[in-house]
């Protein structure tokens, strides 16, 4: 099967997505969205599957956003396994990047590796997570994780580590010019709220007359408005 590349000057060619071709975050995201659509069901694709750790909604969304960034930096198709406490797709619809797992959950890929971060009483030692922090800061991630499928289980924004990585620092600095807040502009490419969620949250916000919304209310409203979360 032929392979595609998406650049700022052409719609397709014969190589995988390469973030180094872009100095504009928006062009990179547009190109990645096109690449993702072309390769999402391809047997030749390499995948990144994001599975959030059990932490708050804000942390999960930041981790999801930065896992997409890792997928872009490594030329992988981005997918999400978010089923607990409720499936993510119950609340949001995918946008230009269809992150849903295929029917049946995609199965287990024998050619896979795990990227996780040290956290908790043992610092993640039980899961072997400690070395991954340094990899995010220093390694070529394609060389570090050559498996067909990379599963990312993290609890925070990986951008804070990637921006120091010499393999990606210059590209991320260029992208940051038009996509600040740690690449917050990727969120509208990922999802929009299900109509019922937007209506419920809008009603809640309209009824609130308190000087400041609770932390939970703010998170819910931002979840229902990716543009606000991207700029906040």
């Amino acid at each position: 099967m032929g392979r595609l590349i998406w650049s700022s000057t052409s719609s397709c060619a014969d190589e995988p997505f390469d973030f180094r071709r872009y100095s504009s975050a928006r062009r990179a995201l547009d190109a990645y969205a096109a690449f993702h659509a072309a390769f999402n069901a391809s047997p030749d694709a390499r995948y990144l599957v994001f599975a959030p750790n059990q932490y708050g909604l804000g942390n999960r969304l930041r981790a999801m956003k930065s896992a997409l960034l890792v997928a872009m930096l490594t030329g992988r198709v981005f997918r999400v396994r978010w089923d607990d406490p409720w499936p993510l797709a119950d609340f949001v619809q995918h946008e230009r990047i269809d992150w849903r797992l295929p029917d049946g959950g995609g199965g287990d890929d024998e050619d896979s590796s795990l990227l996780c971060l040290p956290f908790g009483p043992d610092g993640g030692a039980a899961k072997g997570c400690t070395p991954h922090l340094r990899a995010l800061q220093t390694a070529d991630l394609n060389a570090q994780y050559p498996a067909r499928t990379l599963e990312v289980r993290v609890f925070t924004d990986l951008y804070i580590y990637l921006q120091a990585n010499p393999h990606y620092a210059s590209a991320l600095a260029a992208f940051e010019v038009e996509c600040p807040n740690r690449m917050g502009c990727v969120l509208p490419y990922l999802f929009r709220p299900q109509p019922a969620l937007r209506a419920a949250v809008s009603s809640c916000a309209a009824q609130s007359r308190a000087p400041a919304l609770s932390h939970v209310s703010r998170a819910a409203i931002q979840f229902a408005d990716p543009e606000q979360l991207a700029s906040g």
Side-chain angles (χ1 to χ4, degrees):
M1 180 176 178
R3 297 187 299 171
L4 304 180
I5 192 160
W6 308 89
S7 73
S8 58
T9 58
S10 63
S11 59
C12 66
D14 58 358
E15 297 178 9
F17 176 83
D18 187 345
F19 75 95
R20 292 167 296 187
R21 290 177 174 262
Y22 309 97
S23 58
S24 159
R26 297 289 182 181
R27 285 184 174 179
L29 283 162
D30 288 343
Y32 178 80
F35 157 81
H36 191 283
F39 274 84
N40 196 15
S42 169
D44 299 327
R46 298 164 67 239
Y47 298 95
L48 184 149
V49 179
F50 169 64
N53 287 8
Q54 302 306 310
Y55 300 98
L57 176 60
N59 277 7
R60 285 180 170 218
L61 292 177
R62 293 183 184 97
M64 179 178 176
K65 171 203 70 173
S66 61
L68 170 62
L69 183 58
V70 174
M72 292 176 64
L73 295 175
T74 57
R76 294 174 180 270
V77 170
F78 182 66
R79 290 177 172 172
V80 175
R81 181 181 290 116
W82 180 330
D83 299 315
D84 187 38
W86 299 282
L88 179 62
D90 286 357
F91 299 96
V92 298
Q93 300 170 317
H94 73 86
E95 263 294 345
R96 294 181 59 188
I97 297 171
D98 186 353
W99 38 262
R100 298 172 299 171
L101 288 168
D103 291 342
D108 294 323
D109 191 342
E110 293 183 358
D111 183 13
S112 65
S113 57
L114 172 68
L115 189 164
C116 56
L117 289 182
F119 188 77
D122 68 349
K127 296 181 179 180
C129 295
T130 303
H132 300 289
L133 179 59
R134 181 164 181 80
L136 287 167
Q137 295 171 315
T138 63
D140 176 336
L141 297 181
N142 269 325
Q144 184 76 20
Y145 304 102
R148 167 183 158 92
T149 298
L150 175 62
E151 183 159 344
V152 175
R153 300 179 190 170
V154 296
F155 58 89
T156 192
D157 194 337
L158 302 181
Y159 185 93
I160 59 178
Y161 308 113
L162 292 168
Q163 66 181 347
N165 188 317
H167 297 281
Y168 311 112
S170 60
L172 294 180
F175 292 167
E176 182 78 11
V177 173
E178 66 175 1
C179 188
N181 300 313
R182 300 175 183 172
M183 291 291 290
C185 68
V186 307
L187 287 166
Y189 284 77
L190 288 172
F191 61 76
R192 63 185 183 276
Q194 294 282 10
L197 174 65
R198 180 180 288 276
V201 173
S202 296
S203 176
C204 179
Q207 293 172 17
S208 175
R209 295 295 181 265
L213 292 172
S214 71
H215 175 74
V216 173
S217 297
R218 286 188 183 279
I221 288 170
Q222 290 180 327
F223 191 49
D225 188 353
E227 292 284 359
Q228 180 177 337
L229 186 58
S231 61

